[in-house]
Each structure stands twice: as C-alpha cells, then as structure tokens.
Amino acid sequence: MQLIGIEEHVLTPEVLQAWHDLGLEAQDPSVAFHGGPIAGRLMDLADQRLALMDETGMDMQVLSLTTPMLHDLGAESVDLARRTNDLLAQAIARHPARFQGFATLPVSRPEEAALELERCVKELGFTGTMLCGRVEEHNLDAPFLAPIFQSAARLKAPILLHPRMPAPAVRQAYYSGFHAELDAAFAAFGLGWHYDAGIQFLRLVLSGTFDRLPDLQVILGHWGEVVLFYAERLAAMDRFSRLKRPIADYLRDNLYVTASGMFMPHYLERALAIVGPERLLFSTDFPYQYRPGGDARQFLDTCGLEGADKEAFAHGNWLRLNAALVS
C-alpha cells in the first residue's frame, strides 16, 4: 500500500544564512535546532533522504521548507521564495515518484505570495503550501494576508499550518524561568508550538475566513495541534461567534489532520471521531521525528484502520486533494 507523508521538511543553505543574517536566533530559539545531523538530513534531497524513506517505509514525501520559513523576512523573501521553490522543483523532477512539493511563500508580501503560489501550482506542479503561524507580529487572520488565502481557495490548494515559536512576550509570560535550553524546548516542541498553531487555525475560523472562502482547506499536524481534544469546549463559542455555521462544521469541512510522526493509535481515534476517515493524512515530520525500525510502515499496519479507511489514511485522501487542484 502506497504511503505518502505530507509533512516532511527541507532546509536550504541560503535560507539558513538568511535567518542568521537577520539575527533570527535572538527572536526564535528554534533556529538553533537546525544543526548537526538534523541539518544534514534537512538539506539532503537525494540519496540519504531516499534511503531513510525506504528504511521507514515511505514511498513519497511532500517537501516543505521548515519553520520559521520566510515569515520574518521582508522584501528579500520574494526572490528567495522563488529560488527555494525552483530548487525543490528540480529535486522533484529528479525523483518524481518519490517527491512532491509545498510552495514556500514570501508571506510578508501577500500579493507577491499569492502570485508565487499560483506559479508553484500551475507551473511547477506543487500540491499546496505551508505557513507557520504569525507573519512578523501579525496573526494569520490579519486582513492584509487575505490574498494568500484567496489564492489558495481559488486554486483549491491546501495549506499546511505548521507550528512556530510563540511571540516573545508569550514565551516570557508562560514558558520562561527555568534555563535557556528548557525554556526553548517548552516553548517549542514541548507545548508552545502546538498551542500556537492551533490558535492560528481557530483565529481563521473565528474571523470568518472559512465563511468567506468555503473551499479553503487547512491541514493541522500533530493530530490537530490540541484543537481536536477541546472540540466540545470550542463548540460553546457558537453562542457568540456570529459565524454562519457551528464550529464543529468547520472542523469537518475545512480541516484535514495529520500524524506528524506521533504514532499513537488513541490520538488517531480522537481525530477519526471529530473529522472522519476522509480527512486523515499520513506524515512522519521528517527528519525531526525519524526513528529507525520501519516506524512509519509499522504504525500504518497497527493503527487500527482497515480496508478503505486505511488506504485513505495512507494515500487516498491526499491523492483526492491533489486531484482537486486547479491546474
């Protein structure tokens, strides 16, 4: 059974240098996570990556630039995004049966980002895009970012909404006071990343984005970035939201959920209960969650899904999303 991972990351030397030139480490401690063996795996788009895919049982990866992407860069991000996408397109052309791509966008320049998404989908054959939370100091529901979401909806291109480090004031208030390494871990993969991504999705819901753009589809990793585990509490906001539909409808109609290498059957069961089998996607969060021992294939075989639902999770739902793209 074909196994496609849709949250599988890359990094280019040029983007890493741009982060360093900006001094981004001082604002976003997760930049320091991209060193050592992780950096080598992120930057490899050939033999080593393919070998690790084979070892864990993955047939295809959808490649995306890792967080914090280009969200904190200004005008220079326009050309940098284009070069990054062209580089990914070359890797995909070398291994078309093994790689697909998510567009890297110059998100601080939304009009240019909308055009770059269209180029990536229509000319490069990419299958959507990835965003990673706030753009500079703005949340994703900021009106000036609307062209990006309008373009994605028009193209029927899904948006993977990836975590990023919470704002400095949030980190200081909630995730500090231990020591530098623990503070960074707590604010990132320990918890902060996931709250931040889930909140960004909920801001899109509560701001009426999906009422204005009913075709827009968003993907949340890590089994829904906490959101699904509080679906009942979120529904209590229906009394005040002034939305066209109950919040539960947006979870079923505008959200896909993926594993991100958190291979836990009870998390899958919760996602299945909220969004249904047709909205589950597979992913390993390569290289961060890579573990040897045929990990991905083993989880697919033991996750509890059978028949058509298992096939949909492994690849069918993703291929259906691909088929809907406007070429």
Side-chain angles (χ1 to χ4, degrees):
M1 184 177 293
Q2 186 184 28
L3 191 54
I4 301 175
I6 63 97
E7 186 188 337
E8 321 299 330
H9 300 302
V10 305
L11 180 60
T12 72
E14 186 179 21
V15 170
L16 183 60
Q17 187 61 52
W19 291 347
H20 291 322
D21 291 346
L22 186 65
L24 196 55
E25 300 95 329
Q27 305 171 47
D28 188 339
S30 71
V31 171
F33 300 164
H34 303 109
I38 289 291
R41 290 176 178 178
L42 283 165
M43 293 185 186
D44 183 88
L45 294 173
D47 294 344
Q48 182 192 30
R49 181 178 291 259
L50 292 170
L52 293 178
M53 288 170 61
D54 291 342
E55 192 281 329
T56 200
M58 296 299 299
D59 295 296
M60 179 177 282
Q61 287 186 347
V62 183
L63 305 175
S64 55
L65 181 66
T66 193
T67 188
M69 302 186 73
L70 308 184
H71 283 227
D72 297 291
L73 302 178
E76 68 271 26
S77 67
V78 175
D79 289 339
L80 182 53
R82 190 177 185 93
R83 290 194 297 272
T84 302
N85 290 324
D86 288 344
L87 182 66
L88 289 188
Q90 292 167 15
I92 293 165
R94 289 192 295 270
H95 302 283
R98 306 303 303 272
F99 296 146
Q100 292 182 336
F102 275 139
T104 299
L105 301 181
V107 287
S108 66
R109 300 295 186 269
E111 296 290 349
E112 291 91 337
L115 292 174
E116 180 62 7
L117 177 56
E118 184 170 358
R119 182 183 81 94
C120 287
V121 170
K122 291 188 174 183
E123 297 181 21
L124 302 184
F126 284 14
T127 50
T129 188
M130 191 179 95
L131 304 178
C132 61
R134 291 168 296 104
V135 180
E136 298 173 332
E137 73 276 15
H138 302 283
N139 292 307
L140 289 181
D141 59 299
F144 90 103
L145 294 171
I148 298 173
F149 296 99
Q150 292 164 356
S151 180
R154 183 172 62 253
L155 295 164
K156 297 189 184 300
I159 297 174
L160 174 59
L161 182 49
H162 191 274
R164 71 165 299 178
M165 194 67 81
V170 175
R171 296 204 309 272
Q172 180 63 32
Y174 289 103
Y175 301 105
S176 66
F178 303 103
H179 57 79
E181 293 84 357
L182 182 55
D183 289 353
F186 188 21
F189 51 81
L191 191 62
W193 265 352
H194 310 296
Y195 277 167
D196 193 77
I199 287 169
Q200 293 300 323
F201 171 73
L202 290 174
R203 290 190 67 95
L204 291 175
V205 173
L206 297 172
S207 64
T209 299
F210 298 107
D211 286 343
R212 295 186 294 275
L213 302 171
D215 290 334
L216 180 65
Q217 299 296 318
V218 168
I219 304 164
L220 284 178
H222 308 95
W223 299 115
E225 307 293 6
V226 185
V227 167
L228 298 190
F229 295 93
Y230 284 84
E232 291 86 356
R233 300 296 289 176
L234 297 175
M237 291 192 289
D238 288 340
R239 292 174 291 165
F240 313 104
S241 70
R242 301 179 184 176
L243 296 171
K244 292 181 179 179
R245 295 178 288 154
I247 289 173
D249 284 7
Y250 303 99
L251 300 182
R252 287 191 296 266
D253 298 339
N254 299 98
L255 178 64
Y256 285 79
V257 177
T258 187
S260 307
M262 295 175 63
F263 295 149
M264 300 179 181
H266 56 296
Y267 280 19
L268 185 152
E269 291 171 8
R270 177 61 174 173
L272 185 67
I274 301 298
V275 303
E278 69 282 356
R279 288 185 167 268
L280 300 180
L281 302 171
F282 200 92
S283 63
T284 73
D285 199 6
F286 181 90
Y288 306 105
Q289 292 278 77
Y290 170 76
R291 296 171 292 262
D295 202 43
R297 184 69 59 173
Q298 183 178 24
F299 178 67
L300 180 67
D301 291 342
T302 60
C303 69
L305 297 175
E306 300 292 343
D309 288 349
K310 184 176 180 179
E311 184 174 346
F313 179 43
H315 65 265
N317 292 334
W318 178 245
L319 295 180
R320 176 168 45 81
L321 266 174
N322 288 188
L325 285 162
V326 175
S327 59

